[in-house]
Amino acid sequence: MVNIQWYPGHMNKARNQLEDKMNLIDVIVEVLDARIPQSSRNPMIEKLVGSKPHLIILNKADLADPVMTKRWQKKFTTKGKFVMALDSLHNTNMQVLVKMIKKAAAAKIEKLQQKGASSPVIRVAIAGIPNCGKSTIINRLVGRNVTQVGNKPGVTKGQNWLKTADNIQILDTPGILWPKFEDQTVGLKLAALGAIKDTIFSADDVALFLLAKLRKHYLNDLIKFARTSKEEIQNINDTDLLLALTEEYGMRDDYDRFSMYLLQRLRKGKIGRVTLDRI
Ligand SMILES: Nc1nc2c(ncn2[C@@H]2O[C@H](COP(=O)(O)OP(=O)(O)OP(=O)(O)O)[C@@H](O)[C@H]2O)c(=O)[nH]1
Ligand SMILES: [Mg+2]
């Protein structure tokens, strides 16, 4: 595969802006996509966090494989790290998250109380890759739509301080990616789930990658989607399967169009609860 140009220039700016604000922040909330907990982690965030309390949200848990989500949750829960799985689209009550933020900020809250603050306000930064649901979580925390949400990467353009009723100030940030993928499959996973623009990879490359993953880990979901039998799926390679599905779905030989359709079905959870990062 050719060397992919995928790192937008404004991401550097976004990262620097977050770095500049770090001395104001009490808790870092890192939002991951529960379907790719590893590939949606940004190695730069760990550096930014330093010794600050760090809360990791596995968001879009409603779309992820629940068995895998439990395993990732366990893996990320280490000393000083708070982890929770969340479906911020359907869940309007964020009290569990508020509690966890306050638990993570306990030392800071105590310090402020000792200084005489009767209702101490803590400051939280929400960070994560594009399209993982940062702004959705903030709207839920605030209780109304204060920041723009959209089903494509790069919706939030600048930083934004917002206030919740729970004495929490939140900094919404644009999605941040990292300058180099350690391997090409990370890029394919980000593309499959819509964290990077659809123009960066060709849709059929991403679709072929996805079909191989489904075949390996979610064969029953693939059989259902392909409206065929296990035997038939097992006797056909991924490229031929892509062509057969294109026809099956009435798109004749337009496998590009079908590839995009397949990705859209995946992103909406219509193929099944699929986790691409395995543990
Ligand atoms: N199914 C599901 N969809 C979600 C969840 N959280 C967010 N979404 C959807 O994901 C899309 C992206 O959400 P945003 O909140 O705009 O994501 P963001 O991280 O702020 O994105 P950028 O500003 O582009 O970095 C929207 O279509 C949301 O409705 C979730 O827990 N489950
Ligand atoms: Mg946003």
Side-chain angles (χ1 to χ4, degrees):
M1 212 176 278
V2 286
N3 200 2
I4 306 283
Q5 258 305 334
W6 62 273
Y7 186 68
H10 71 266
M11 298 251 168
N12 263 328
K13 195 173 144 209
R15 192 203 55 204
N16 293 341
Q17 281 178 340
L18 183 60
E19 205 165 7
D20 286 347
K21 291 275 163 53
M22 277 319 286
N23 55 343
L24 299 174
I25 304 298
D26 302 316
V27 178
I28 294 253
V29 174
E30 181 182 4
V31 183
L32 303 179
D33 186 318
R35 299 163 296 176
I36 44 168
Q38 193 64 46
S39 306
S40 60
R41 289 211 81 186
N42 188 329
M44 291 187 304
I45 288 186
E46 202 62 57
K47 265 196 208 146
L48 283 178
V49 169
S51 58
K52 283 184 197 290
H54 185 187
L55 199 161
I56 296 171
I57 296 179
L58 296 169
N59 195 43
K60 306 200 182 184
D62 55 309
L63 301 174
D65 177 341
V67 175
M68 289 290 134
T69 302
K70 277 230 167 68
R71 290 188 194 163
W72 281 111
Q73 211 171 337
K74 204 165 157 203
K75 175 160 176 158
F76 288 144
T77 312
T78 53
K79 206 165 165 274
K81 297 227 190 291
F82 302 81
V83 186
M84 71 180 287
L86 188 66
D87 162 10
S88 62
L89 185 66
H90 306 97
N91 220 331
T92 49
N93 187 343
M94 291 286 125
Q95 277 315 303
V96 179
L97 176 57
V98 168
K99 261 198 193 138
M100 204 174 251
I101 291 174
K102 297 221 160 158
K103 202 168 144 194
K108 174 73 183 209
I109 292 173
E110 203 186 318
K111 208 166 133 192
L112 290 169
Q113 279 167 339
Q114 276 168 2
K115 281 188 184 162
S118 56
S119 44
V121 175
I122 46 168
R123 285 180 292 211
V124 174
I126 303 252
I129 63 164
N131 206 24
C132 65
K134 299 175 293 299
S135 299
T136 304
I137 292 172
I138 290 178
N139 285 337
R140 294 295 190 213
L141 280 169
V142 175
R144 62 201 159 88
N145 293 343
V146 286
T147 180
Q148 202 189 338
V149 160
N151 199 6
K152 56 179 187 187
V155 171
T156 303
K157 303 282 186 229
Q159 289 185 341
N160 233 340
W161 277 109
L162 301 146
K163 230 182 140 180
T164 74
D166 301 283
N167 284 335
I168 297 172
Q169 271 185 358
I170 318 169
L171 183 65
D172 190 12
T173 67
I176 304 176
L177 289 164
W178 49 109
K180 254 192 234 154
F181 295 134
E182 54 270 35
D183 67 64
Q184 197 69 253
T185 59
V186 172
L188 288 166
K189 287 172 188 171
L190 292 171
L193 297 180
I196 54 179
K197 289 210 166 79
D198 284 326
T199 46
I200 293 173
F201 284 90
S202 59
D204 56 323
D205 279 341
V206 185
L208 283 172
F209 170 78
L210 177 63
L211 287 177
K213 278 274 176 192
L214 291 174
R215 184 195 287 280
K216 193 163 173 199
H217 303 294
Y218 299 100
L219 185 60
N220 287 337
D221 290 327
L222 179 60
I223 291 167
K224 225 195 250 161
F225 177 77
R227 306 167 183 154
T228 180
S229 67
K230 191 173 180 179
E231 291 67 41
E232 263 189 87
I233 294 257
Q234 279 167 339
N235 286 328
I236 190 169
N237 67 35
D238 290 336
T239 312
D240 289 341
L241 179 59
L242 182 69
L243 295 175
L245 287 174
T246 303
E247 218 180 299
E248 168 68 25
Y249 275 82
M251 298 181 209
R252 300 158 78 105
D253 57 0
D254 193 349
Y255 58 87
D256 252 345
R257 188 173 145 225
F258 172 76
S259 298
M260 245 358 273
Y261 172 76
L262 175 70
L263 299 181
Q264 274 151 8
R265 298 309 282 172
L266 172 82
R267 292 169 191 173
K268 287 190 180 138
K270 299 292 185 199
I271 296 178
R273 296 180 71 172
V274 168
T275 296
L276 297 176
D277 277 345
R278 314 297 298 176
I279 179 166

